[in-house]
Amino acid sequence: MKLSTVLRQAKSGELRQLSTIDKTDDVIVDHINLALLAIYSRFQLKTAEIVISLATGKTEYLLDGTDVDVSLTSTEPVLQLVEAFDEAGAIGINDDTSVYSIYTISYDTVQVPVTEDNAFISIIYKPEPVEVLFVDSGDGSAEEADIPLPKALIEPLLIYIGYRGFSL
């Protein structure tokens, strides 16, 4: 979906009653980015994988790309862990009833209480959406930026933009 489509529809629809100062392209793009974060949090629109190579004596692993024992398949930050697997199959996430569960001890760190050498854990996660940037170069190319959202979700996007526009 193109940025120009969303800008046009937001200005002529949900934000029609606002002054032109409150519905500049920069302001609407800020609303779009917040809406994308909310929509990606609620729906599983994209997944990526983390592979953790378990090390003896190590129980905590950073998921920000700086830990040498952690391999990420995406450059986008982790938004939410979806499911985890080891060689035996599915393992729990934050499941107090399972001894093999992994735990999110902070937004960018997981704890693996039970480790063994040369073992791996695969974690499927929802990455954060790519931020939409509006840089007006004067040739109109900024409005041709892609919004990483299926067209079927344009209505919730516009409703969120309208909510943000009128609540500020």
Side-chain angles (χ1 to χ4, degrees), residues 137-148:
S137 58
D139 63 358
S141 62
E143 294 183 356
E144 292 309 311
D146 284 321
I147 296 179

Side-chain angles (χ1 to χ4, degrees), residues 39-48 79-83 124-127 150 153:
I39 291 170
Y40 270 67
S41 295
R42 183 154 179 104
F43 302 105
Q44 188 169 313
L45 299 177
K46 183 179 180 180
T47 59
L79 181 62
Q80 181 182 10
L81 303 183
V82 177
E83 53 189 348
I124 306 301
Y125 71 97
K126 294 192 299 190
L153 293 176

